[in-house]
Amino acid sequence: MSTVIDVLKQLPGFSGEVLSSPDERQRAAEDFGHFVHEVPLAVIRPRSAEDIARVVRFACQEGLKVVARGVGQSTYGQAQVEGGLVIDMAQLHQLHSLEPTSAWVDAGLLWRDLLRASLAHGRAPPVLTDYLLTTVGGTLAVGGIGTQSYRRGAQTDHVLELEVVDGHGNLVICSPERNRELFNACRAGLGQFGIVTKARLRLEPAPPSVRVYRTFYSELGPFVEDLSLLTARKEFDGVQGAVMPNELSALKEMIGPDVARIELPRTSGPWLFMIKATQHFGPESAPDDAWLLRGLRHAPRSQYAQERGYLSFFNRMEPWVRALKAAGLWDIPHPWMNAFLPSEQVLPFIEDTLAHVPPEWTRYGFIPVYPYAREPFQTPFLRVPDTSSFFLFGILGSLVSPTPESTRQGLEAVRRLYERCLSLGGVRYPVDSIPLREGDGPRHYGPLWPTVLEFRRKFDPGRIFAQKKKSMV
């Protein structure tokens, strides 16, 4: 081991750091899921994309596995590798250029920091995820979805150009016009075809304010129907839904003090349902509340609207995350399952799932129900149902008092949910804790499976980016 580390440190032209202390290696063997603990040979902190290319070429020669890591937000060891090299992308976080229609950024830049910089010029990315303390490269590896995705697609649909280190150690610029195959492979490619080092991202005008509407439901049917209605109308800038425990203390945690402003629907069941819709606006164009909410079937007097600044709204998770960390609730196991389901299957699936999910799983977790139109999703390797509309349904669970048995049961539960999604024509959204099995790759990619294998042979013939049980190939 020491010989390999010594050679790494002395690679010609390499200007980064090679960290091999037990503490550094153990930190790299941890993530947000807290299920997988794979200890690398070393952690690489590059100072440039060229450093990454040198390390990848060395890994090819030595037969070492390599994985890129952002902020460790994965839930099943996706950014870990046993006995290999973890490349700490968070060290590369520069915003290289900001223009009216695009930004050229390092893959390790946080979305929050990009948004702060772009808003200073009245611009923002077309799609932002719900949690902005993730890296650009991290979300582009899986797709990246948020409130705006219901009519704008994924973050990967708004990438104009990438700089990538492929499995040969080549530093390649790719786009729809240049090295198109690598461009398509690395957007939502799960890190299996190369390491994205920089990205040119589309920017659009960003009004200064966001009006956030919430409506509440006691029954699942009207809730799902209203989500579909709003998706078809395409009048809001953002639309999302959520299932919440019917418990006042839990609602206060999730909604905040504004829960006192409304009359929650009465129900004897364990769940309530909420739609959150957003409209972006400036001082000259306040939204028409009555028009936007017309015809919805939410409980009377359960709706309310709140105005927030653009950055405040999109960075809304950061204060909540700080509170979870302070309470010691960030470092607990998170059994997560996310899947896209055809619209006609979502109602029976949710009904059956909610009958078996312990409400305590979501006491510090979340059950998203997000509606989407199919048309804006154009990234080839971001797999979604081939229907005109579909939903994302997720169980973002937390095990507050974990035991070995409850941890095992949690992973088994999300795997069973995944299997049921597949049986209904669903597709995995791979930000989850699902242990993969032989055959999952062909089922996930469907008719694109031969293309996936071809791209692996072309861009990473040594399979240095492949990880058993976590790679789809």
Side-chain angles (χ1 to χ4, degrees):
M1 178 176 116
S2 59
T3 302
V4 173
I5 299 299
D6 291 341
V7 174
L8 265 172
K9 292 178 178 179
Q10 297 170 20
L11 286 177
F14 180 72
S15 59
E17 295 180 89
V18 180
L19 307 174
S20 58
S21 71
D23 286 348
E24 292 288 352
R25 295 166 62 220
Q26 286 296 331
R27 273 193 286 271
E30 194 59 83
D31 61 21
F32 180 67
H34 303 292
F35 293 112
V36 177
H37 310 278
E38 296 189 346
V39 181
L41 176 68
V43 176
I44 310 297
R45 288 185 179 168
R47 291 187 179 151
S48 66
E50 289 77 13
D51 276 349
I52 297 174
R54 293 182 182 99
V55 170
V56 168
R57 289 195 291 270
F58 175 79
C60 288
Q61 295 169 7
E62 298 294 324
L64 294 171
K65 302 293 186 186
V66 175
V67 67
R69 178 185 175 96
V71 294
Q73 192 64 22
S74 302
T75 60
Y76 199 69
Q78 290 92 334
Q80 299 177 29
V81 57
E82 185 71 33
L85 304 177
V86 171
I87 298 181
D88 184 356
M89 300 300 296
Q91 303 303 305
L92 301 178
H93 51 74
Q94 186 175 346
L95 196 164
H96 294 275
S97 66
L98 187 65
E99 301 172 1
T101 59
S102 69
W104 182 238
V105 307
D106 280 342
L109 183 69
L110 296 179
W111 285 98
R112 178 200 60 188
D113 296 339
L114 170 59
L115 183 60
R116 283 176 174 168
S118 65
L119 284 178
H121 301 272
R123 298 291 188 271
V127 176
L128 290 161
T129 58
D130 293 336
Y131 181 50
L132 297 187
L133 298 184
T134 53
T135 61
V136 167
T139 60
L140 295 187
V142 295
I145 54 176
T147 59
Q148 303 138 299
S149 293
Y150 93 105
R151 69 176 194 177
R152 303 304 306 277
Q155 290 180 320
T156 47
D157 294 307
H158 300 279
V159 177
L160 305 175
E161 187 178 27
L162 293 173
E163 180 186 80
V164 176
V165 174
D166 67 13
H168 302 276
N170 300 318
L171 190 59
V172 183
I173 297 293
C174 53
S175 70
E177 296 78 30
R178 184 179 177 188
N179 298 308
R180 181 183 178 89
E181 287 185 338
L182 185 60
F183 181 72
N184 285 337
C186 289
R187 291 180 301 140
L190 308 181
Q192 298 176 113
F193 307 95
I195 297 175
V196 173
T197 55
K198 294 184 181 70
R200 188 174 305 281
L201 306 171
R202 182 177 289 121
L203 298 179
E204 296 181 347
S209 301
V210 178
R211 183 166 292 177
V212 185
Y213 301 86
R214 287 181 172 89
T215 58
F216 292 82
Y217 302 75
S218 60
E219 297 181 10
L220 178 62
F223 162 72
V224 170
E225 290 169 9
D226 279 0
L227 284 171
S228 297
L229 175 64
L230 294 177
T231 303
R233 287 177 178 170
K234 293 183 173 64
E235 294 170 346
F236 280 105
D237 288 303
V239 173
Q240 292 180 329
V243 181
M244 301 178 296
N246 184 19
E247 176 189 341
L248 185 58
S249 59
L251 292 171
K252 286 180 178 178
E253 290 280 354
M254 299 182 71
I255 302 170
D258 285 326
V259 71
R261 297 170 49 187
I262 60 176
E263 184 177 317
L264 291 170
R266 296 184 178 181
T267 175
S268 59
W271 305 103
L272 288 177
F273 310 93
M274 180 188 73
I275 289 178
K276 179 173 67 180
T278 57
Q279 194 72 4
H280 309 165
F281 68 100
E284 74 292 342
S285 58
D288 184 336
D289 298 354
W291 173 255
L292 289 170
L293 297 175
R294 71 193 184 281
L296 299 187
R297 299 166 58 195
H298 54 277
R301 296 179 295 280
S302 74
Q303 73 183 57
Y304 77 98
Q306 175 192 41
E307 291 188 14
R308 302 185 67 169
Y310 202 97
L311 179 61
S312 172
F313 170 71
F314 281 103
N315 197 35
R316 61 196 178 277
M317 293 292 292
E318 187 170 356
W320 190 58
V321 168
R322 281 200 302 267
L324 290 178
K325 288 182 177 180
L329 295 169
W330 193 253
D331 298 320
I332 58 177
H334 295 93
W336 280 21
M337 190 284 299
N338 283 281
F340 298 119
L341 285 160
S343 293
E344 61 271 18
Q345 299 291 348
V346 72
L347 188 59
F349 179 81
I350 295 177
E351 285 178 333
D352 181 73
T353 300
L354 293 182
H356 298 94
V357 172
E360 59 267 21
W361 265 37
T362 58
R363 182 64 177 79
Y364 297 100
F366 189 53
I367 301 180
V369 183
Y370 295 173
Y372 300 115
R374 174 65 179 86
E375 189 274 332
F377 286 84
Q378 297 296 319
T379 303
F381 283 172
L382 176 56
R383 308 300 295 148
V384 297
D386 191 18
T387 54
S388 61
S389 64
F390 59 94
F391 280 76
L392 177 133
F393 177 79
I395 299 288
L396 310 187
S398 298
L399 299 180
V400 178
S401 301
T403 65
E405 181 64 12
S406 67
T407 299
R408 180 187 62 80
Q409 291 176 348
L411 291 177
E412 290 176 351
V414 294
R415 178 71 205 195
R416 286 194 300 271
L417 284 171
Y418 172 55
E419 292 287 350
R420 181 143 192 273
C421 286
L422 291 178
S423 71
L424 297 174
V427 183
R428 173 187 179 220
Y429 181 54
V431 290
D432 49 33
S433 316
I434 297 173
L436 297 181
R437 299 173 183 170
E438 186 175 354
D440 283 342
R443 288 199 293 176
H444 177 76
Y445 287 106
L448 285 180
W449 182 240
T451 303
V452 171
L453 296 180
E454 176 192 349
F455 284 2
R456 280 306 297 262
R457 288 190 292 268
K458 185 172 185 177
F459 300 123
D460 183 24
R463 296 180 67 84
I464 69 166
F465 301 131
Q467 296 183 72
K468 187 179 180 182
K469 297 183 180 179
K470 291 172 291 186
S471 172
M472 295 298 289
V473 183

